[in-house]
Amino acid sequence: MADSVAYDLSDLYLQQISETATQTNYAQVISAAIEAYCRLIRQAQQAPLQNHYIKVVKAYIYHHLNEKLTLAKLATQAHLNPSYLSEIFHQATGQTLTQFITAERLHAAQYLLQYSTDSVADVASQLGFGTTSYFIATFKRQTHLTPLAYRRHLTE
């Protein structure tokens, strides 16, 4: 597991633990943290089976979520033909590059909505969504809540 991923994950769960008010919520946060770490460790153990190029592309995506990420740009980073990268990424992950990027951006959006006071428009802009309305529609399709409703739900 990449150090940066482990540190980010621990920061996220430590923040959630510090804000937890009840024993039940505390147990839920701990359970979620254990599940997330186990999933990441399992992925790291499978890393020898995973293509080196996929790791390169994922790392680039993680560090450039705020930028416009195109297949051509990602293929250049991996030194591969774009169509070949698209094919091996889908085979290795079960997701298209677009699906993966969108999922990662939405995870980051959930974090920002929970732990920052940035407006929905600012979150959309920070994470490279073309427009705020596209961000809201994408977020709602994934979480079944608008970003504001998601933020309100977290504070209830």
Side-chain angles (χ1 to χ4, degrees):
M1 173 182 342
D3 291 345
S4 62
V5 173
Y7 289 131
D8 289 348
L9 194 60
S10 72
D11 286 347
L12 170 69
Y13 286 109
L14 287 173
Q15 178 72 27
Q16 287 181 6
I17 288 169
S18 70
E19 295 176 355
T20 299
T22 67
Q23 192 72 351
T24 302
N25 290 346
Y26 179 78
Q28 290 172 339
V29 171
I30 295 297
S31 177
I34 291 169
E35 183 179 313
Y37 275 108
C38 287
R39 182 174 33 85
L40 288 172
I41 289 169
R42 191 174 327 111
Q43 288 173 351
Q45 288 172 336
Q46 295 171 347
L49 304 174
Q50 192 177 36
N51 196 315
H52 164 76
Y53 299 115
I54 304 307
K55 290 185 213 175
V56 169
V57 169
K58 282 183 173 182
Y60 187 84
I61 291 168
Y62 291 138
H63 290 95
H64 296 88
L65 284 176
N66 61 327
E67 298 175 14
K68 181 175 174 72
L69 296 170
T70 64
L71 178 58
K73 185 184 281 189
L74 296 172
T76 299
Q77 292 300 314
H79 306 288
L80 294 173
N81 175 287
S83 60
Y84 180 67
L85 171 61
S86 181
E87 180 183 330
I88 65 169
F89 191 90
H90 190 265
Q91 287 175 350
T93 66
Q95 293 179 297
T96 65
L97 278 160
T98 301
Q99 290 170 331
F100 181 79
I101 292 166
T102 300
E104 291 305 313
R105 284 183 169 152
L106 290 174
H107 285 22
Q110 289 173 319
Y111 180 85
L112 288 172
L113 289 167
Q114 184 170 5
Y115 295 110
S116 78
T117 57
D118 294 344
S119 70
V120 171
D122 288 343
V123 170
S125 176
Q126 289 173 41
L127 294 175
F129 284 93
T131 65
T132 303
S133 59
Y134 175 69
F135 167 64
I136 292 169
T138 304
F139 191 91
K140 187 173 182 178
R141 189 174 32 236
Q142 180 71 24
T143 64
H144 307 291
L145 295 169
T146 66
L148 285 178
Y150 178 82
R151 183 175 267 166
R152 270 187 263 123
H153 173 74
L154 293 171
T155 59
E156 291 176 352

